[in-house]
Amino acid sequence: MKCSFTNDHYEYICKLIKKSPYRSIFFNDRYSKGEKILLLRHDIDQSPEKSLTLAEIEKKHGVKSTYFIWLTSPFYNIFENHYSKILYEIMSLGHQIGLHFDERSYNVNVNIRMSKKWKITMYKKWTMRPQNPLPYYYLNIVF
């Protein structure tokens, strides 16, 4: 089947994963040497809504994945109620949310190390908010 970059085609891929000898795992899951594993990740660069659709397809077929959020996205703000609900829904489907850090989003005058610490702090505050009904998820950071 030729890749058409549609939700139907992604569902086809998830069906193949489910039938395969590979086990989908999170970045912090343990696995045995020689075990066939699949680390599936998605960067949510533009559309949390479309990511939720992918997460629903994956859940339907028993596929785990990690969705990386971008705190400096010009397309969404994780602290807005609409986007927080979408990200919590992705987690409630059994997926992980991780922090995607892109150093290219800063000019050379910014202290990158301090910026990373700030982003990790903000991410932790978002995941531990009192109204958060879900447990804290392992923090995945991409550098």
Side-chain angles (χ1 to χ4, degrees), residues 8-9 23 32 34 37 49 68-69 81 86 102 105-106:
D8 288 339
H9 186 77
R23 179 172 69 99
S32 303
I37 61 166
E49 294 88 355
F68 287 87
I69 58 174
N81 196 37
I86 290 171
D102 186 356
S105 63
Y106 299 96

Side-chain angles (χ1 to χ4, degrees), residues 63-75:
V63 175
K64 288 180 173 182
S65 64
T66 302
Y67 288 79
F68 287 87
I69 58 174
W70 187 21
L71 290 181
T72 56
S73 173
F75 302 104

Side-chain angles (χ1 to χ4, degrees), residues 76-87:
Y76 62 89
N77 178 344
I78 67 164
F79 297 102
E80 289 179 13
N81 196 37
H82 171 74
Y83 296 112
S84 284
K85 284 181 179 180
I86 290 171
L87 297 173

Side-chain angles (χ1 to χ4, degrees), residues 106-117:
Y106 299 96
N107 67 38
V108 292
N109 297 325
V110 174
N111 182 329
I112 298 296
R113 172 173 273 149
M114 290 304 294
S115 184
K116 286 178 187 176
K117 287 180 183 178

Side-chain angles (χ1 to χ4, degrees), residues 21-40 64:
Y22 288 85
R23 179 172 69 99
S24 61
I25 67 169
F26 294 130
F27 284 79
N28 61 324
D29 284 348
R30 295 187 184 269
Y31 59 94
S32 303
K33 184 178 181 181
E35 183 180 1
K36 294 182 178 195
I37 61 166
L38 172 69
L39 287 169
L40 188 57
K64 288 180 173 182

